[in-house]
Amino acid sequence: MNIVIIGSGNIATHYAKAFQQLGNQISEVYSKTSANANALAEVVSAQSVDDLSQISEEADLYIIAVSDQAIEPVVNKLPSRLEGTVVHTSGATPLEMLHRFKKHGVIYPPQSLSKDIETDLSTIPFAVEANTPEVEQKLLEIAQAISPKSFLCNSQQRMALHVAAVFVNNFSNALYQVAFDLLERENLDFELIRPIILETANKVRYQEPSAVQTGPAIRGDKQTLDSHLEFLSHDEHLAQIYQNLTALIIKTR
């Protein structure tokens, strides 16, 4: 299969490497920054392109792996006559964004990927969607060649998956930083709570999160909750976050 990668960042890099390792030809890599296009193109033995009007029209698959806000400008610059399948990799961008193309779809990885960190893509359940059953089945086969966990979904399900990923990844990481700052303020090392982070993550590998919820909120321990809020009184914003999350937990009791 002949593939054009549009983008040179984290997802583009992982996709380009994965598809090449499966025996596909990465014919071109596009980036508006020539140096970035060159860097990834060299890794996967492809031609680099920094002008979308120069993109080959002979590829079997075009993978748009750019930031969400950059998808529409890229789509508008690509020729609508492309015969190959055009996909994007976004969790939150509607399938309809690609309606200009005869065959189009989505291959979305609900995972935080960094191009400088090796990741086993076979463990990621890629979400696949397309404009026709035929294209959908073809894209599913393509995704399952990388990860057997890949599955079909609709746009609403893909949005739910993306929002859920933000909660468990971006929001939880922001809370880790809150914890880091609180400990640092008292001259304590973040290493002290790494074990509890890992233990909680391990528990939810096998159980529903509500089944392993612990802490003063789930116990209805008002005395401890009040003590915590007193400790956080130096920062009204953090105290409000604490109260909101406490209320969320109490609702599950």
Side-chain angles (χ1 to χ4, degrees):
M1 185 165 55
N2 187 317
I3 300 173
V4 170
I5 302 290
I6 301 173
S8 59
N10 296 323
I11 294 179
T13 298
H14 279 279
Y15 274 48
K17 290 180 178 179
F19 280 114
Q20 185 194 48
Q21 289 169 3
L22 288 171
N24 300 291
Q25 179 188 1
I26 309 300
S27 59
E28 294 177 343
V29 172
Y30 163 82
S31 174
K32 64 182 180 181
T33 304
S34 181
N36 293 343
N38 289 336
L40 180 54
E42 184 174 347
V43 171
V44 294
S45 303
Q47 294 293 317
S48 65
V49 182
D50 60 7
D51 183 347
L52 282 172
S53 68
Q54 301 302 312
I55 287 286
S56 168
E57 297 183 17
E58 309 300 322
D60 302 303
L61 181 65
Y62 297 82
I63 301 177
I64 302 174
V66 298
S67 64
D68 285 10
Q69 61 266 31
I71 293 176
E72 186 172 11
V74 165
V75 167
N76 290 338
K77 290 179 181 178
L78 285 172
S80 60
R81 59 183 175 273
L82 294 176
E83 288 298 319
T85 303
V86 181
V87 304
H88 70 62
T89 62
S90 167
T93 303
L95 175 66
E96 290 72 23
M97 181 70 73
L98 303 176
H99 74 275
R100 296 177 61 243
F101 309 107
K102 181 180 179 182
K103 295 182 289 185
H104 59 269
V106 180
I107 303 178
Y108 161 61
Q111 179 60 278
S112 179
L113 298 172
S114 298
K115 60 183 176 182
D116 297 325
I117 299 176
E118 291 296 325
T119 301
D120 182 1
L121 298 188
S122 69
T123 65
I124 299 174
F126 290 89
V128 175
E129 184 180 5
N131 64 313
T132 70
E134 293 76 20
V135 175
E136 198 167 61
Q137 189 57 42
K138 181 63 176 177
L139 291 182
L140 181 62
E141 292 173 5
I142 290 171
Q144 287 182 334
I146 298 176
S147 171
K149 295 184 176 183
S150 299
F151 67 101
L152 297 177
C153 70
N154 58 41
S155 289
Q156 183 74 3
Q157 291 170 323
R158 179 161 48 85
M159 178 64 81
L161 183 59
H162 189 259
V163 173
V166 168
F167 269 98
V168 301
N169 180 42
N170 307 126
F171 290 173
S172 64
N173 192 65
L175 293 177
Y176 295 156
Q177 186 61 48
V178 168
F180 181 97
D181 293 340
L182 287 173
L183 291 170
E184 186 176 54
R185 180 169 172 257
E186 301 300 329
N187 297 312
L188 293 169
D189 197 318
F190 186 69
E191 289 295 327
L192 294 169
I193 63 169
R194 287 191 195 275
I196 196 171
I197 292 173
L198 298 175
E199 176 64 16
T200 302
N202 190 54
K203 285 178 180 177
V204 297
R205 289 176 63 194
Y206 309 106
Q207 301 179 69
E208 183 178 334
S210 63
V212 298
Q213 184 70 57
T214 61
I218 201 71
R219 296 194 305 267
D221 184 350
K222 188 175 186 304
Q223 181 176 340
T224 298
L225 293 173
D226 288 344
S227 295
H228 287 178
L229 286 172
E230 175 63 26
F231 178 80
L232 294 171
S233 60
H234 69 282
D235 190 320
E236 183 178 343
H237 179 60
L238 282 188
Q240 187 61 58
I241 292 173
Y242 186 96
Q243 288 178 305
N244 289 341
L245 291 176
T246 294
L248 177 64
I249 294 171
I250 289 173
K251 285 177 62 177
T252 69
R253 290 171 55 191

